[in-house]
Amino acid sequence: MTEQQTEAPVLVHVEGRAGHLVLNRPRALNALTHPMVRILDATLAAWAQDPDIDTVVLSGAGERGLCAGGDIRTMHDDARDGDGTATEEFWRDEYRLNARIARSPKPYVAIMDGIVMGGGVGVSAHGGVRVVTERSRVAMPETGIGFVPDVGGTYLLSRAPGELGTHLALTGGSVGAADALLCGLADHVVPSRRLAALRADLASVPATEAVRRHAVEPDAGVLAQARAWIDHCYAADTVEEIVRRLTDSGEPSAKEAAETILAKSPTSVKVTLEAVRRARERGSLEAVLEQEYRVSCVALRRPDMVEGVRAQIVDKDRTPRWSPGTLEEVTAETVAEFFAPRGDGRELTFD
């Protein structure tokens, strides 16, 4: 590769029959920008028609992870200082990319090594062959920054067994390899030391066979043994009742989950619960992405997103001042506003 190519935000190259896409912002943990989304989308569209490409492989540069999510600092600045148009356009293209990945006519192998969060889940967990390692930490942590899971995250979490997805959505908690498989966020575990050999095999071997050569059984996870209290507590109709059940369950982990939820944006956790419940009833990923687009555009203009990113990313004081500050102050009418139609020309639609 030339020096200019190695400085590109997405490295695009072909090895044998495999086309490789490498997210290349390692100092930003490969956070997605709008130009990166456009490169990914255009390349996938071209490779779908290329008879010389059998398999698409997504990975991240550096040792820390595939992708920590979207570039939320840019979104914060747009929400605080701009009119939000740039962020809405980014989401429109990003969510369409998520749908393209899910409908890829060729095997799409996502190497979900290290940190995979938010937008990183969107470009990986909708793929047909999703590989995690012993280093993987997969999460949709949006409620902690005053936002709501997007990029098809509510679609994925709504289809996890029982109420596991609700638990992960509200708490923003991360999972390792075994629990990623259990929740339907990944398919195979490959030790990180074998990833280079896997990439080499993908050049000439069909994706399913190549992964099978290197896959192993994961170490034990933690969510399977917690299903009883998770399924009971998160089946409640409201966040207030979920928190009450978690607190009263007698399980230390459940009480910790309650405290975690109470530290998140009250508006975000209430909207997230509604979004996951509604996602269960929507038939396709595209229908859920259309819903998420409405929710995201409203969240962008509410105070909690700017405040959450300020507290976690900008000032890093970890003491967000949510508005409103309690669950009880977030009304059903407020939640409903996030799902209201936006009008012609302002919705996300799929052809």
Side-chain angles (χ1 to χ4, degrees):
M1 292 184 187
T2 67
E3 182 177 346
Q4 183 177 7
Q5 286 175 316
T6 58
E7 291 178 353
V10 180
L11 306 181
V12 180
H13 65 280
V14 176
E15 296 179 12
R17 305 290 297 181
H20 288 261
L21 297 164
V22 184
L23 306 181
N24 189 39
R25 297 182 68 216
R27 284 180 292 182
L29 230 168
N30 301 319
L32 293 173
T33 63
H34 205 162
M36 293 169 74
V37 166
R38 292 189 178 114
I39 293 169
L40 292 170
D41 191 69
T43 307
L44 289 175
W47 282 351
Q49 307 300 321
D50 189 337
D52 294 328
I53 301 294
D54 289 339
T55 303
V56 177
V57 186
L58 177 79
S59 60
E63 298 296 322
R64 297 166 61 199
L66 172 67
C67 175
D71 189 345
I72 58 174
R73 178 65 181 265
T74 298
M75 299 177 203
H76 164 275
D77 293 349
D78 186 34
R80 185 191 62 187
D81 304 326
D83 62 2
T85 300
T87 299
E88 288 191 5
E89 292 176 352
F90 166 69
W91 283 331
R92 190 182 294 269
D93 288 344
E94 182 184 26
Y95 298 178
R96 286 176 173 160
L97 170 65
N98 301 146
R100 184 186 294 280
I101 289 168
R103 306 292 179 244
S104 174
K106 299 179 179 182
Y108 181 98
V109 181
I111 299 179
M112 302 168 69
D113 186 32
I115 292 174
V116 185
M117 295 185 177
V121 173
V123 294
S124 60
H126 297 299
V129 184
R130 304 164 301 175
V131 175
V132 286
T133 75
E134 78 284 353
R135 303 188 298 202
S136 296
R137 302 304 302 176
V138 184
M140 296 298 295
E142 286 79 5
T143 56
I145 58 166
F147 194 46
V148 178
D150 66 334
V151 298
T154 62
Y155 177 87
L156 294 165
L157 295 175
S158 72
R159 285 152 175 80
E163 295 291 341
L164 294 179
T166 311
H167 171 63
L168 296 181
L170 297 189
T171 62
S174 63
V175 295
D179 289 330
L181 266 64
L182 174 63
C183 292
L185 301 173
D187 306 300
H188 308 280
V189 180
V190 173
S192 57
R193 59 184 171 80
R194 296 190 189 180
L195 290 179
L198 170 61
R199 291 188 184 93
D201 283 347
L202 286 168
S204 58
V205 177
T208 53
E209 179 182 342
V211 172
R212 192 180 306 118
R213 289 182 181 180
H214 301 282
V216 299
E217 290 297 316
D219 293 335
V222 298
L223 290 181
Q225 293 184 339
R227 277 288 303 275
W229 65 262
I230 287 175
D231 288 353
H232 168 69
C233 295
Y234 288 94
D237 290 336
T238 66
V239 178
E240 290 93 333
E241 177 61 14
I242 288 172
V243 170
R244 188 193 67 77
R245 291 186 185 185
L246 289 168
T247 302
D248 295 345
S249 70
E251 292 284 347
S253 295
K255 184 177 181 181
E256 181 179 340
E259 294 170 350
T260 297
I261 292 170
L262 289 173
K264 309 299 184 184
S265 158
T267 302
S268 291
V269 294
K270 282 203 169 183
V271 174
T272 294
L273 179 62
E274 181 70 11
V276 172
R277 298 274 164 88
R278 290 189 182 214
R280 288 176 179 169
E281 307 303 320
R282 298 179 80 88
S284 67
L285 170 62
E286 286 84 354
V288 175
L289 287 166
E290 290 169 358
Q291 171 179 283
E292 290 180 346
Y293 186 74
R294 290 179 178 178
V295 171
S296 296
C297 290
V298 175
L300 182 67
R301 292 168 173 81
R302 296 298 174 102
D304 277 4
M305 183 172 174
V306 170
E307 174 62 10
V309 177
R310 179 207 64 76
Q312 300 296 333
I313 305 298
V314 180
D315 297 336
K316 299 182 180 180
D317 58 29
R318 307 292 193 268
T319 55
R321 295 178 291 276
W322 305 123
S323 178
T326 67
L327 291 170
E328 291 72 21
E329 293 175 276
V330 182
T331 66
E333 291 75 19
T334 295
V335 173
E337 291 172 4
F338 284 77
F339 299 89
R342 306 188 70 228
D344 292 341
R346 302 180 64 208
E347 301 275 13
L348 172 66
T349 59
F350 291 88
D351 297 330

